[in-house]
Amino acid sequence: MKLRAKIVDLEAAGKPIAILNKNDARLLRVAPLERVSIVYDNREIIALIDVTDTFVSEGEIGLFESIIETLKVKDNDIVDVHPAPKPVSIS
């Protein structure tokens, strides 16, 4: 799913956190604390997600600082987002 990046000026102790609109999360079939793959310009990161009705609009994904730094993404850039497989330790 292609989503527009929304820079979130928050940090979570270096953990990659992304915020999805509830409807986009439903379309991706992911729930809070599940993982998604975010790809931009041939860079990829696996992020934990949180879900909101209001903080980001449909078609947007809120990205915390660690993701912004890793992907070198800017506000309004288009990123690819897909569900990520669960780690072996959780499966």
Side-chain angles (χ1 to χ4, degrees):
M1 172 181 276
K2 303 258 188 223
L3 297 172
R4 186 171 308 280
K6 179 178 179 179
I7 303 305
V8 177
D9 190 21
L10 292 173
E11 219 174 291
K15 293 191 188 315
I17 306 286
I19 303 169
L20 288 173
N21 180 275
K22 181 169 65 173
N23 294 325
D24 291 331
R26 189 176 307 125
L27 288 172
L28 285 168
R29 297 181 183 204
V30 294
L33 298 181
E34 290 188 337
R35 291 165 170 77
V36 294
S37 165
I38 304 170
V39 179
Y40 176 75
D41 197 28
N42 294 319
R43 295 180 186 93
E44 179 182 21
I45 191 166
I46 303 297
L48 294 171
I49 65 154
D50 207 345
V51 176
T52 182
D53 284 329
T54 57
F55 192 72
V56 295
S57 300
E58 285 185 58
E60 289 183 330
I61 183 168
L63 304 176
F64 278 41
E65 290 290 328
S66 61
I67 297 173
I68 296 162
E69 291 171 7
T70 299
L71 296 181
K72 310 287 189 236
V73 68
K74 296 180 183 93
D75 211 28
N76 293 316
D77 284 342
I78 302 299
V79 297
D80 247 335
V81 181
H82 302 283
K86 291 182 178 162
V88 176
S89 61
I90 296 177
S91 297

